[in-house]
Amino acid sequence: MAPLKKPADEFIVPSLAESSPEFADLIAKRHELEQSYSNLNAERSNLLDEIKAAKAAGGERLSAGVARLLGEKSGGTVTELSNRLHGVVAEMGVIEDTREVLRRRTDEARDKASKIICSATLPEYQRRLKSLCDAARALEAAREEHDALLDDLEREDVRLGYLGSVGPVRAHFLGDRREGRVFHFLKDVREAGFNA
């Protein structure tokens, strides 16, 4: 089966990032912070394990400076590891605070970008809404024709059970015949300010 081709005039809704460089930058910054936070969290876990191991070794680990002068490798003393852990936790806290600022700024940028997109999309939206309203009116007219035939049959006292194995099928999903769902849908469209 051949892949379906997109029609040449297909309307594509632009993304928020395409519509707003500010929004795109904030999202990129958020991803960058999430990666940094994830790396810091992994480092925090490693430091906690190293501190536990250093304490289990009785604190006999060489300090980084002593190990360097001796030409040996050292993971650092419990104090050095604890200081590094404190720095990592503090940086994680700064990222958490920054996330909140970014969340607020992203919300504001999303509003601005949404306004731009909705403005550009409005003509297409109106076209599709009009098409939907036309289809709803056609459905309502077809329902009226259908129900009018059933009314005529009932007026003649015809037993409708012979119209099929279970009798006639009625469009109950449309609600009341006079002011049903289509009526209320079209009313909502008018009240929203659309002339469809």
Side-chain angles (χ1 to χ4, degrees):
M1 181 175 182
L4 297 174
K5 292 184 178 179
K6 291 182 180 178
D9 63 344
E10 180 182 6
F11 185 83
I12 305 289
V13 174
S15 71
L16 292 167
E18 292 169 333
S19 299
S20 168
E22 177 189 4
F23 183 83
D25 291 345
L26 289 168
I27 294 301
K29 178 54 85 176
R30 185 177 71 193
H31 289 304
E32 179 185 318
L33 285 176
E34 292 304 321
Q35 185 60 51
S36 295
Y37 191 86
S38 179
N39 292 341
L40 287 169
N41 197 32
E43 185 177 354
R44 183 181 66 84
S45 294
N46 290 338
L47 285 168
L48 288 171
D49 290 342
E50 286 185 44
I51 290 169
K52 184 177 177 182
K55 286 181 179 178
E60 295 182 16
R61 295 174 73 166
L62 298 175
S63 71
V66 171
R68 180 181 46 78
L69 291 175
L70 292 174
E72 298 177 10
K73 184 177 178 186
S74 168
T77 63
V78 171
T79 302
E80 291 170 336
L81 293 172
S82 294
N83 288 340
R84 176 66 190 136
L85 177 63
H86 178 71
V88 166
V89 169
E91 185 62 21
M92 290 173 75
V94 170
I95 290 175
E96 289 168 3
D97 293 342
T98 305
R99 281 177 176 162
E100 180 57 28
V101 172
L102 273 178
R103 185 195 62 74
R104 285 193 309 269
R105 289 182 181 178
T106 302
D107 285 348
E108 291 169 6
R110 178 180 288 117
D111 288 345
K112 291 175 187 174
S114 295
K115 186 176 181 180
I116 291 167
I117 291 171
C118 286
S119 179
T121 305
L122 186 59
E124 179 65 14
Y125 175 75
Q126 289 173 325
R127 184 190 70 76
R128 292 186 188 192
L129 181 61
K130 182 181 181 321
S131 177
L132 179 60
C133 290
D134 291 345
R137 286 185 196 96
L139 177 61
E140 189 65 28
R143 182 232 184 122
E144 187 54 40
E145 286 180 17
H146 172 267
D147 287 356
L149 177 61
L150 294 177
D151 291 346
D152 291 345
L153 290 169
E154 286 175 339
R155 252 190 309 282
E156 295 299 325
D157 201 25
V158 173
R159 292 191 177 172
L160 300 179
Y162 293 106
L163 284 176
S165 62
V166 295
V169 178
R170 297 193 185 260
H172 295 296
F173 73 95
L174 291 172
D176 182 70
R177 189 169 169 184
R178 300 292 174 234
E179 291 186 5
R181 292 195 170 102
V182 171
F183 170 84
H184 288 289
F185 167 70
L186 295 172
K187 181 180 174 211
D188 289 346
V189 168
R190 284 189 306 274
E191 288 174 356
F194 294 101
N195 184 20

